[in-house]
mmCIF file of all heavy atoms in Angstrom:
data_model
loop_
_atom_site.group_PDB
_atom_site.id
_atom_site.type_symbol
_atom_site.label_atom_id
_atom_site.label_comp_id
_atom_site.label_asym_id
_atom_site.label_seq_id
_atom_site.Cartn_x
_atom_site.Cartn_y
_atom_site.Cartn_z
ATOM 1 N N GLY A 629 -89.018 118.439 201.838
ATOM 2 C CA GLY A 629 -90.111 118.851 202.669
ATOM 3 C C GLY A 629 -90.177 120.353 202.787
ATOM 4 O O GLY A 629 -89.146 121.044 202.920
ATOM 5 N N THR A 630 -91.392 120.927 202.760
ATOM 6 C CA THR A 630 -91.604 122.358 202.835
ATOM 7 C C THR A 630 -92.837 122.552 203.708
ATOM 8 O O THR A 630 -93.869 121.963 203.483
ATOM 9 C CB THR A 630 -91.846 122.966 201.444
ATOM 10 O OG1 THR A 630 -90.858 122.539 200.542
ATOM 11 C CG2 THR A 630 -91.846 124.493 201.533
ATOM 12 N N THR A 631 -92.742 123.459 204.686
ATOM 13 C CA THR A 631 -93.884 123.708 205.574
ATOM 14 C C THR A 631 -94.640 124.956 205.149
ATOM 15 O O THR A 631 -94.297 125.572 204.141
ATOM 16 C CB THR A 631 -93.402 123.879 207.010
ATOM 17 O OG1 THR A 631 -92.636 125.098 207.164
ATOM 18 C CG2 THR A 631 -92.536 122.718 207.469
ATOM 19 N N ASN A 632 -95.676 125.293 205.882
ATOM 20 C CA ASN A 632 -96.494 126.441 205.551
ATOM 21 C C ASN A 632 -95.637 127.696 205.286
ATOM 22 O O ASN A 632 -94.792 128.044 206.090
ATOM 23 C CB ASN A 632 -97.474 126.759 206.711
ATOM 24 C CG ASN A 632 -98.543 125.706 206.856
ATOM 25 O OD1 ASN A 632 -98.690 124.831 206.022
ATOM 26 N ND2 ASN A 632 -99.255 125.786 207.989
ATOM 27 N N ASN A 633 -95.897 128.331 204.155
ATOM 28 C CA ASN A 633 -95.228 129.571 203.797
ATOM 29 C C ASN A 633 -93.702 129.458 203.795
ATOM 30 O O ASN A 633 -92.991 130.426 204.000
ATOM 31 C CB ASN A 633 -95.633 130.718 204.762
ATOM 32 C CG ASN A 633 -97.115 131.026 204.646
ATOM 33 O OD1 ASN A 633 -97.632 131.156 203.545
ATOM 34 N ND2 ASN A 633 -97.778 131.104 205.784
ATOM 35 N N SER A 634 -93.208 128.229 203.587
ATOM 36 C CA SER A 634 -91.776 128.006 203.502
ATOM 37 C C SER A 634 -91.066 128.461 204.775
ATOM 38 O O SER A 634 -89.937 128.951 204.740
ATOM 39 C CB SER A 634 -91.149 128.739 202.292
ATOM 40 O OG SER A 634 -91.794 128.350 201.116
ATOM 41 N N GLU A 635 -91.714 128.224 205.919
ATOM 42 C CA GLU A 635 -91.081 128.590 207.187
ATOM 43 C C GLU A 635 -89.901 127.683 207.473
ATOM 44 O O GLU A 635 -88.866 128.125 207.994
ATOM 45 C CB GLU A 635 -92.124 128.479 208.317
ATOM 46 C CG GLU A 635 -93.237 129.501 208.201
ATOM 47 C CD GLU A 635 -94.506 129.070 208.924
ATOM 48 O OE1 GLU A 635 -94.470 127.969 209.577
ATOM 49 O OE2 GLU A 635 -95.500 129.800 208.863
ATOM 50 N N GLN A 636 -90.055 126.403 207.135
ATOM 51 C CA GLN A 636 -88.960 125.454 207.336
ATOM 52 C C GLN A 636 -88.859 124.590 206.038
ATOM 53 O O GLN A 636 -89.885 124.162 205.518
ATOM 54 C CB GLN A 636 -89.210 124.515 208.526
ATOM 55 C CG GLN A 636 -89.701 125.189 209.797
ATOM 56 C CD GLN A 636 -88.705 126.167 210.404
ATOM 57 O OE1 GLN A 636 -87.510 126.108 210.096
ATOM 58 N NE2 GLN A 636 -89.184 127.070 211.241
ATOM 59 N N THR A 637 -87.664 124.390 205.573
ATOM 60 C CA THR A 637 -87.461 123.575 204.350
ATOM 61 C C THR A 637 -86.421 122.508 204.639
ATOM 62 O O THR A 637 -85.431 122.748 205.337
ATOM 63 C CB THR A 637 -87.030 124.469 203.176
ATOM 64 O OG1 THR A 637 -85.751 125.031 203.443
ATOM 65 C CG2 THR A 637 -88.061 125.594 202.924
ATOM 66 N N TRP A 638 -86.606 121.353 204.029
ATOM 67 C CA TRP A 638 -85.776 120.216 204.324
ATOM 68 C C TRP A 638 -85.466 119.373 203.073
ATOM 69 O O TRP A 638 -86.239 119.321 202.122
ATOM 70 C CB TRP A 638 -86.510 119.236 205.234
ATOM 71 C CG TRP A 638 -86.926 119.703 206.624
ATOM 72 C CD1 TRP A 638 -87.926 120.558 206.927
ATOM 73 C CD2 TRP A 638 -86.338 119.297 207.859
ATOM 74 N NE1 TRP A 638 -88.026 120.722 208.278
ATOM 75 C CE2 TRP A 638 -87.068 119.938 208.880
ATOM 76 C CE3 TRP A 638 -85.311 118.454 208.182
ATOM 77 C CZ2 TRP A 638 -86.766 119.757 210.242
ATOM 78 C CZ3 TRP A 638 -84.979 118.244 209.535
ATOM 79 C CH2 TRP A 638 -85.708 118.908 210.526
ATOM 80 N N THR A 639 -84.317 118.685 203.132
ATOM 81 C CA THR A 639 -84.072 117.486 202.351
ATOM 82 C C THR A 639 -83.383 116.502 203.292
ATOM 83 O O THR A 639 -82.367 116.814 203.932
ATOM 84 C CB THR A 639 -83.193 117.723 201.139
ATOM 85 O OG1 THR A 639 -83.909 118.551 200.206
ATOM 86 C CG2 THR A 639 -82.808 116.416 200.435
ATOM 87 N N VAL A 640 -83.954 115.322 203.410
ATOM 88 C CA VAL A 640 -83.355 114.264 204.199
ATOM 89 C C VAL A 640 -83.151 113.055 203.303
ATOM 90 O O VAL A 640 -84.104 112.657 202.602
ATOM 91 C CB VAL A 640 -84.246 113.868 205.427
ATOM 92 C CG1 VAL A 640 -83.509 112.869 206.322
ATOM 93 C CG2 VAL A 640 -84.693 115.079 206.202
ATOM 94 N N GLY A 641 -81.938 112.564 203.260
ATOM 95 C CA GLY A 641 -81.704 111.434 202.346
ATOM 96 C C GLY A 641 -80.444 110.660 202.733
ATOM 97 O O GLY A 641 -79.718 110.990 203.679
ATOM 98 N N PHE A 642 -80.186 109.585 201.972
ATOM 99 C CA PHE A 642 -79.125 108.676 202.354
ATOM 100 C C PHE A 642 -78.517 107.918 201.189
ATOM 101 O O PHE A 642 -79.155 107.760 200.145
ATOM 102 C CB PHE A 642 -79.662 107.691 203.410
ATOM 103 C CG PHE A 642 -80.919 106.965 203.004
ATOM 104 C CD1 PHE A 642 -80.860 105.746 202.277
ATOM 105 C CD2 PHE A 642 -82.149 107.428 203.323
ATOM 106 C CE1 PHE A 642 -81.998 105.063 201.909
ATOM 107 C CE2 PHE A 642 -83.307 106.777 202.982
ATOM 108 C CZ PHE A 642 -83.234 105.601 202.234
ATOM 109 N N THR A 643 -77.270 107.568 201.391
ATOM 110 C CA THR A 643 -76.634 106.502 200.648
ATOM 111 C C THR A 643 -76.633 105.285 201.536
ATOM 112 O O THR A 643 -77.163 105.309 202.638
ATOM 113 C CB THR A 643 -75.207 106.883 200.240
ATOM 114 O OG1 THR A 643 -74.461 107.145 201.439
ATOM 115 C CG2 THR A 643 -75.194 108.153 199.347
ATOM 116 N N LYS A 644 -75.957 104.203 201.088
ATOM 117 C CA LYS A 644 -75.890 103.036 201.933
ATOM 118 C C LYS A 644 -75.096 103.343 203.199
ATOM 119 O O LYS A 644 -75.325 102.756 204.283
ATOM 120 C CB LYS A 644 -75.231 101.898 201.138
ATOM 121 C CG LYS A 644 -75.388 100.513 201.763
ATOM 122 C CD LYS A 644 -76.769 99.957 201.507
ATOM 123 C CE LYS A 644 -76.904 98.512 201.919
ATOM 124 N NZ LYS A 644 -76.098 97.607 201.018
ATOM 125 N N GLY A 645 -74.153 104.291 203.119
ATOM 126 C CA GLY A 645 -73.237 104.519 204.254
ATOM 127 C C GLY A 645 -73.476 105.776 205.063
ATOM 128 O O GLY A 645 -72.916 105.933 206.139
ATOM 129 N N LEU A 646 -74.288 106.700 204.517
ATOM 130 C CA LEU A 646 -74.488 107.981 205.223
ATOM 131 C C LEU A 646 -75.966 108.399 205.108
ATOM 132 O O LEU A 646 -76.588 108.296 204.065
ATOM 133 C CB LEU A 646 -73.638 109.094 204.578
ATOM 134 C CG LEU A 646 -72.131 108.926 204.548
ATOM 135 C CD1 LEU A 646 -71.498 110.050 203.713
ATOM 136 C CD2 LEU A 646 -71.584 108.927 205.951
ATOM 137 N N SER A 647 -76.480 108.923 206.246
ATOM 138 C CA SER A 647 -77.836 109.465 206.247
ATOM 139 C C SER A 647 -77.742 110.904 206.750
ATOM 140 O O SER A 647 -77.221 111.127 207.864
ATOM 141 C CB SER A 647 -78.764 108.667 207.159
ATOM 142 O OG SER A 647 -80.069 109.241 207.205
ATOM 143 N N THR A 648 -78.216 111.857 205.992
ATOM 144 C CA THR A 648 -78.018 113.272 206.284
ATOM 145 C C THR A 648 -79.301 114.041 206.218
ATOM 146 O O THR A 648 -80.081 113.893 205.257
ATOM 147 C CB THR A 648 -77.014 113.880 205.286
ATOM 148 O OG1 THR A 648 -75.735 113.269 205.438
ATOM 149 C CG2 THR A 648 -76.864 115.394 205.515
ATOM 150 N N ALA A 649 -79.540 114.840 207.205
ATOM 151 C CA ALA A 649 -80.655 115.802 207.221
ATOM 152 C C ALA A 649 -80.106 117.190 206.945
ATOM 153 O O ALA A 649 -79.206 117.660 207.624
ATOM 154 C CB ALA A 649 -81.398 115.781 208.551
ATOM 155 N N SER A 650 -80.654 117.832 205.934
ATOM 156 C CA SER A 650 -80.270 119.210 205.569
ATOM 157 C C SER A 650 -81.505 120.086 205.795
ATOM 158 O O SER A 650 -82.569 119.805 205.246
ATOM 159 C CB SER A 650 -79.800 119.255 204.123
ATOM 160 O OG SER A 650 -79.567 120.575 203.716
ATOM 161 N N TRP A 651 -81.271 121.151 206.577
ATOM 162 C CA TRP A 651 -82.411 122.026 206.923
ATOM 163 C C TRP A 651 -82.055 123.464 206.705
ATOM 164 O O TRP A 651 -80.927 123.904 207.003
ATOM 165 C CB TRP A 651 -82.766 121.789 208.420
ATOM 166 C CG TRP A 651 -83.603 122.889 209.041
ATOM 167 C CD1 TRP A 651 -84.939 123.047 208.993
ATOM 168 C CD2 TRP A 651 -83.096 124.011 209.772
ATOM 169 N NE1 TRP A 651 -85.333 124.174 209.663
ATOM 170 C CE2 TRP A 651 -84.211 124.772 210.164
ATOM 171 C CE3 TRP A 651 -81.811 124.408 210.160
ATOM 172 C CZ2 TRP A 651 -84.075 125.941 210.921
ATOM 173 C CZ3 TRP A 651 -81.689 125.583 210.909
ATOM 174 C CH2 TRP A 651 -82.800 126.330 211.283
ATOM 175 N N VAL A 652 -82.979 124.221 206.116
ATOM 176 C CA VAL A 652 -82.874 125.710 205.994
ATOM 177 C C VAL A 652 -84.184 126.283 206.486
ATOM 178 O O VAL A 652 -85.246 125.879 205.999
ATOM 179 C CB VAL A 652 -82.606 126.110 204.555
ATOM 180 C CG1 VAL A 652 -82.595 127.625 204.431
ATOM 181 C CG2 VAL A 652 -81.248 125.572 204.066
ATOM 182 N N GLY A 653 -84.132 127.179 207.478
ATOM 183 C CA GLY A 653 -85.406 127.678 207.979
ATOM 184 C C GLY A 653 -85.256 128.796 208.964
ATOM 185 O O GLY A 653 -84.230 129.501 209.016
ATOM 186 N N SER A 654 -86.309 128.944 209.746
ATOM 187 C CA SER A 654 -86.420 130.066 210.732
ATOM 188 C C SER A 654 -86.319 129.496 212.127
ATOM 189 O O SER A 654 -87.315 128.987 212.652
ATOM 190 C CB SER A 654 -87.743 130.795 210.513
ATOM 191 O OG SER A 654 -87.812 131.310 209.212
ATOM 192 N N PRO A 655 -85.149 129.585 212.777
ATOM 193 C CA PRO A 655 -85.008 128.981 214.124
ATOM 194 C C PRO A 655 -85.491 129.892 215.239
ATOM 195 O O PRO A 655 -85.864 129.385 216.299
ATOM 196 C CB PRO A 655 -83.492 128.757 214.214
ATOM 197 C CG PRO A 655 -82.888 129.812 213.377
ATOM 198 C CD PRO A 655 -83.894 130.021 212.225
ATOM 199 N N GLU A 656 -85.446 131.183 215.026
ATOM 200 C CA GLU A 656 -85.803 132.129 216.121
ATOM 201 C C GLU A 656 -87.308 132.394 216.133
ATOM 202 O O GLU A 656 -87.995 132.198 217.153
ATOM 203 C CB GLU A 656 -85.000 133.390 215.961
ATOM 204 C CG GLU A 656 -83.502 133.184 216.127
ATOM 205 C CD GLU A 656 -82.712 134.460 215.937
ATOM 206 O OE1 GLU A 656 -83.020 135.261 215.038
ATOM 207 O OE2 GLU A 656 -81.738 134.633 216.683
ATOM 208 N N GLU A 657 -87.804 132.854 215.039
ATOM 209 C CA GLU A 657 -89.272 133.051 214.884
ATOM 210 C C GLU A 657 -89.739 131.959 213.908
ATOM 211 O O GLU A 657 -89.700 132.153 212.697
ATOM 212 C CB GLU A 657 -89.583 134.451 214.351
ATOM 213 C CG GLU A 657 -91.075 134.772 214.319
ATOM 214 C CD GLU A 657 -91.341 136.149 213.788
ATOM 215 O OE1 GLU A 657 -90.398 136.969 213.668
ATOM 216 O OE2 GLU A 657 -92.534 136.419 213.461
ATOM 217 N N LYS A 658 -90.158 130.874 214.460
ATOM 218 C CA LYS A 658 -90.415 129.685 213.620
ATOM 219 C C LYS A 658 -91.569 129.843 212.641
ATOM 220 O O LYS A 658 -91.684 129.051 211.686
ATOM 221 C CB LYS A 658 -90.637 128.464 214.523
ATOM 222 C CG LYS A 658 -89.408 128.047 215.319
ATOM 223 C CD LYS A 658 -89.618 126.767 216.114
ATOM 224 C CE LYS A 658 -88.328 126.369 216.845
ATOM 225 N NZ LYS A 658 -88.500 125.097 217.592
ATOM 226 N N SER A 659 -92.395 130.844 212.812
ATOM 227 C CA SER A 659 -93.475 131.079 211.880
ATOM 228 C C SER A 659 -93.105 132.045 210.763
ATOM 229 O O SER A 659 -93.933 132.418 209.945
ATOM 230 C CB SER A 659 -94.709 131.604 212.616
ATOM 231 O OG SER A 659 -94.399 132.814 213.281
#
Side-chain angles (χ1 to χ4, degrees):
T630 311
T631 68
N632 291 349
N633 296 312
S634 304
E635 294 157 2
Q636 315 296 341
T637 65
W638 298 74
T639 292
V640 186
F642 52 89
T643 59
K644 195 77 172 290
L646 300 174
S647 178
T648 297
S650 174
W651 162 85
V652 174
S654 301
E656 295 178 321
E657 186 181 346
K658 293 185 177 181
S659 61

